[in-house]
Amino acid sequence: MQQRVKQAFSGNSGQESDLYQDEKQIIGSIIHHQISTRGHVTNKTITLRLIEMLETADNAEQQHMLRNALELIVGQSAESVRS
């Protein structure tokens, strides 16, 4: 599981980029929370949590970061379906 998460945030060269670091941190905290409370995590649970957070976000910058994080997860999910 950790390898798939790392691959999700790595570029083509296999090295993590500095792009979307805040979004990756948000996703990482959701993953950590889900694993510590439920013992597992899925893209669906990450997606639902990001949507919940987006609905309650109170400023435009936070909303923008959450939308970007959601796009990262949804894009990764779409790639795994195509594979």
Side-chain angles (χ1 to χ4, degrees), residues 17-42:
S17 69
D18 290 336
L19 191 60
Y20 301 116
Q21 284 301 312
D22 292 333
E23 291 83 349
K24 293 173 188 177
Q25 187 174 15
I26 292 167
I27 294 168
S29 68
I30 292 170
I31 291 170
H32 176 74
H33 177 75
Q34 289 295 316
I35 290 174
S36 65
T37 58
R38 299 186 186 260
H40 67 280
V41 66
T42 65

Side-chain angles (χ1 to χ4, degrees), residues 11-79:
N12 292 335
S13 65
Q15 298 177 358
E16 283 195 49
S17 69
D18 290 336
L19 191 60
Y20 301 116
Q21 284 301 312
D22 292 333
E23 291 83 349
K24 293 173 188 177
Q25 187 174 15
I26 292 167
I27 294 168
S29 68
I30 292 170
I31 291 170
H32 176 74
H33 177 75
Q34 289 295 316
I35 290 174
S36 65
T37 58
R38 299 186 186 260
H40 67 280
V41 66
T42 65
N43 281 354
K44 181 179 178 179
T45 58
I46 297 169
T47 300
L48 291 173
R49 180 65 184 132
L50 285 169
I51 290 169
E52 289 172 359
M53 293 171 73
L54 185 56
E55 289 176 342
T56 60
D58 57 0
N59 67 56
E61 183 179 339
Q62 187 179 24
Q63 291 170 343
H64 181 71
M65 279 193 309
L66 291 167
R67 280 189 203 99
N68 285 342
L70 188 56
E71 287 178 9
L72 288 172
I73 293 300
V74 172
Q76 184 63 31
S77 297
E79 286 178 18

